[in-house]
Amino acid sequence: MTSDPNEILMRAREELAAAGSEQQAEAVRIRYLGKKGELTAILRSMGDLSPEDRKAVGAKANAVRDEIGALIDEKKKSLSTEAMTRAMNSEFIDVTEPGRGVRVGAEHLITQTIGEIANIFADMGYRITEGPEAETVFNNFDALNAAPSHPSRDLTDTFYLSEDTLLRTQTSPVQVRTLLREAPPIKVISPGRCFRVDTPDATHSPMFHQVVGLLVDEGVSMTDLKGTLDAFAKRMFGEDVRTKFRPHFFPFTEPSAEMDISCFACGGEGCRICKGSGWIEILGCGMVHPNVLKVGGVDTERFTGFAFGMGVERIAMLRHDVDDIRLFYENDIRFLRQFA
Ligand code: 2NL
């Protein structure tokens, strides 16, 4: 170590020239100008010098201190500019490059099918009403004229939540709520999830979807039901399909029927889709039973109505040739993507 300011200035210059980073430049400041720095030591020890020496050495040491400080600031600035230039060159962003592409999701086929059915009925003036999946036994069974002994009420067929609540086995209870809340004319469809105790296989699932419809007004007859559902079938499956109604039984309608459409795949010749018969069962329907209308306080001398219900999975499976209902719930993207 030396106490010659000029010699210190030379060494500081060399060290700064060699400094490759702002930290290394700062280390130079600490070594010479810091609390324990070499130049600081000289300035501190000036009291030991004679007055003449003190003046000369003091002036020189102060000048060197200022110069080293300025050199360090300059070096830091140039290092920082260099670092920025290097970053600008290596981190160049090509704003003209095409984007990376966003993966857009799509509606599930069941949701799409519900939408198509709903749109057709919306065009005929129906409102869409929804209700809770957890229902009362009253709305799900009693109000719909199901006898106390009706098999679907059985504990082994229905998910009971308590003695008087359950997971709805159909979406008709939504329309019971409508009947209880509103006076005719009523014209609604109710899509939604339903639940039945079932072991899953290719055609059964303990959770499935239904769309049910209800129309109550003055002078409604079976011809209105047939015309409405025939119009629906033609829009849903093609203008060429014919419909036929076979007698059936439901506790909530009388008379009741099931509607078949002529096979949209073979035109009625008989094929794999219609299992050789030329006809495909699509939905259940009927004239609303007076007992059900009375629950809603409807004057059954003045008003009549029709109702219908269809399984959404069944319709989607038929139209898209899906052979296993479980595919809808497995969320295998390779299956779902086909309908995006
Ligand atoms: C089926 C077909 C159907 C209804 C549901 C209904 C609703 C009210 C009054 C009368 Cl509020 N009926 N819904 C009618 C006929 C058929 O669903 O296969 N169900 C098991």
Side-chain angles (χ1 to χ4, degrees):
M1 209 153 79
T2 174
S3 52
D4 176 0
N6 281 325
E7 205 271 337
I8 287 173
L9 177 59
M10 261 166 55
R11 275 195 285 126
R13 249 192 234 284
E14 279 166 29
E15 286 172 31
L16 270 178
S21 68
E22 291 187 62
Q23 290 102 299
Q24 283 172 14
E26 181 59 21
V28 174
R29 184 197 299 284
I30 290 162
R31 188 168 315 127
Y32 297 101
L33 310 182
K35 268 186 199 156
K36 293 176 184 167
E38 288 184 39
L39 203 62
T40 314
I42 293 173
L43 290 162
R44 284 228 180 98
S45 64
M46 298 238 287
D48 304 340
L49 301 176
S50 65
E52 310 88 77
D53 284 353
R54 198 184 301 162
K55 197 171 177 191
V57 173
K60 186 69 200 166
N62 276 332
V64 166
R65 184 193 58 197
D66 292 349
E67 179 155 6
I68 292 177
L71 286 170
I72 290 168
D73 288 347
E74 205 175 287
K75 180 72 182 181
K76 279 187 169 178
K77 200 183 276 178
S78 81
L79 282 170
S80 144
T81 308
E82 258 174 54
M84 179 63 83
T85 307
R86 223 178 304 124
M88 296 269 262
N89 289 333
S90 68
E91 293 167 21
F92 173 71
I93 296 166
D94 181 358
V95 294
T96 68
E97 200 171 292
R100 217 167 282 180
V102 181
R103 280 215 182 202
V104 180
E107 277 187 344
H108 193 281
L109 180 59
I110 295 301
T111 311
Q112 289 182 46
T113 307
I114 288 173
E116 287 180 68
I117 298 168
N119 278 341
I120 293 171
F121 285 103
D123 287 350
M124 294 195 255
Y126 287 71
R127 281 183 297 129
I128 296 166
T129 56
E130 291 182 299
E133 291 168 7
E135 261 292 1
T136 61
V137 170
F138 177 82
N139 287 343
N140 194 85
F141 288 128
D142 301 297
L144 287 161
N145 201 38
S149 63
H150 196 272
S152 66
R153 287 184 182 251
D154 202 282
L155 289 169
T156 58
D157 289 342
T158 297
F159 291 109
Y160 283 89
L161 301 173
S162 69
E163 206 164 301
D164 52 7
T165 59
L166 44 67
L167 295 183
R168 66 185 182 195
T169 62
Q170 45 175 336
T171 54
S172 300
V174 178
Q175 312 194 312
V176 169
R177 289 169 178 265
T178 306
L179 281 171
L180 288 166
R181 191 182 56 234
E182 297 173 22
I186 288 171
K187 209 174 170 183
V188 289
I189 61 158
S190 311
R193 252 186 251 279
C194 307
F195 307 85
R196 287 180 198 175
V197 180
D198 244 333
T199 304
D201 63 24
T203 54
H204 295 83
S205 165
M207 188 281 294
F208 57 98
H209 297 77
Q210 232 190 13
V211 175
V212 300
L214 172 71
L215 181 144
V216 182
D217 204 343
E218 281 180 89
V220 177
S221 75
M222 193 85 185
T223 59
D224 300 306
L225 169 128
K226 292 176 81 173
T228 299
L229 295 179
D230 184 80
F232 162 73
K234 285 178 162 59
R235 270 196 62 186
M236 193 75 190
F237 296 97
E239 284 303 316
D240 296 335
V241 308
R242 288 158 289 128
T243 53
K244 74 172 177 184
F245 293 79
R246 289 176 288 101
H248 194 72
F249 174 81
F250 296 115
F252 27 83
T253 45
E254 178 61 31
S256 304
E258 281 184 331
M259 182 179 84
D260 294 349
I261 59 168
S262 58
C263 182
F264 54 82
C266 66
E269 295 290 306
C271 69
R272 182 177 57 84
I273 304 285
C274 58
K275 299 198 175 68
S277 78
W279 294 95
I280 302 172
E281 182 194 320
I282 291 299
L283 54 78
C285 57
M287 301 305 294
V288 180
H289 197 290
N291 288 353
V292 178
L293 292 175
K294 280 173 192 152
V295 167
V298 175
D299 176 357
T300 55
E301 291 300 316
R302 184 173 162 207
F303 294 102
T304 50
F306 65 75
F308 52 90
M310 64 192 92
V312 179
E313 279 81 353
R314 182 176 160 72
I315 288 177
M317 287 171 80
L318 282 168
R319 291 172 91 210
H320 299 277
D321 203 11
V322 175
D323 62 6
D324 196 318
I325 195 172
R326 291 168 291 193
L327 287 163
F328 291 129
Y329 319 117
E330 281 167 2
N331 285 335
D332 184 332
I333 200 73
R334 294 166 300 178
F335 170 75
L336 298 176
R337 235 208 303 264
Q338 299 176 87
F339 313 107

